Amino acid sequence: TFVMPGSDVELEAVFIPGEDETPLPFTDISPSDWCYDAVRYVYQKGLMNGTSTTTFTPNNTTTRGMIVAIIYRLEGSPDAGLSNFTDVLPTAYYASAVAWASANGIVNGYSDGTFRPNNPITREQMAAFLYRYAGYKGRDISARADLNGYLDAAQIAGYAVEPIQWANAQGLINGTSSTTLSPTGNATPAQVAVI
């Protein structure tokens, strides 16, 4: 605000790009890509990074460690101790994320005591992580979609049936086609950004 003087005033407006208009630094994502807005959102919010300072590699494979790190960042990166998993080194970028997520029942490991953070994450594993995280946050996780229209619905592992039904009902995980859900397929960074 200003006090209007008794003479003419000349104003000059200067426009700077807002957060939503700042271009991405990635050369492999363009504004016309189906995932551009989602990638811009997760990048600007600090949830996902690129594979380098100039690439996002949208069609790459995401790992279990990457997904847990994204959920951890979404939660604000709370303090966490060390995990009990034999294959999660304390110096790994996802170490605190895995420790926090495990302590809060968001992720489980395997019967041999490993978490396998570098394994590509399956769509059903991601649904389970998201389902448990939503429950941790106190969200209503009772919604269930009817998956009978998907010819591969019987391939969903027992632990993941309810999480995928919920994720599908929420519009988070849809079919890879009108008749396939691909529960054991992998999710790309582009798909994860959109989810």
Side-chain angles (χ1 to χ4, degrees):
T1 62
F2 70 98
V3 176
M4 181 71 177
S7 60
D8 291 342
V9 175
E10 186 175 312
L11 298 176
E12 179 181 335
V14 177
F15 295 94
I16 58 172
E19 181 179 296
D20 290 339
E21 298 155 358
T22 305
L24 286 172
F26 307 126
T27 58
D28 55 356
I29 296 280
S30 70
S32 62
D33 290 338
W34 67 277
C35 61
Y36 182 82
D37 289 338
V39 171
R40 182 174 60 194
Y41 177 85
V42 296
Y43 177 72
Q44 289 176 344
K45 298 296 182 190
L47 300 175
M48 292 179 78
N49 301 313
T51 52
S52 78
T53 56
T54 59
T55 57
F56 185 75
T57 320
N59 298 316
N60 207 9
T61 301
T62 53
T63 66
R64 291 169 52 86
M66 288 175 183
I67 298 301
V68 176
I70 293 166
I71 294 171
Y72 179 67
R73 292 173 193 144
L74 184 61
E75 187 59 21
S77 302
D79 289 336
L82 298 175
S83 76
N84 293 324
F85 299 116
T86 58
D87 59 346
V88 176
L89 298 176
T91 55
Y93 76 89
Y94 48 74
S96 293
V98 172
W100 168 82
S102 176
N104 289 289
I106 296 165
V107 301
N108 297 316
Y110 293 88
S111 59
D112 64 358
T114 62
F115 182 70
R116 304 178 194 172
N118 297 316
N119 281 11
I121 193 161
T122 64
R123 290 164 52 85
E124 65 186 8
Q125 288 171 352
M126 187 164 59
F129 290 3
L130 294 173
Y131 176 76
R132 293 181 200 132
Y133 178 64
Y136 166 81
K137 295 295 285 181
R139 303 284 199 271
D140 179 3
I141 54 173
S142 63
R144 299 289 183 269
D146 179 359
L147 303 178
N148 288 330
Y150 296 108
L151 301 176
D152 57 355
Q155 296 174 12
I156 301 170
Y159 77 89
V161 172
E162 286 189 354
I164 286 193
Q165 288 172 331
W166 169 81
N168 188 261
Q170 297 299 317
L172 295 174
I173 295 183
N174 299 310
T176 52
S177 78
S178 61
T179 58
T180 55
L181 197 53
S182 305
T184 59
N186 302 125
T188 67
Q191 292 168 339
V192 171
V194 170
I195 291 168

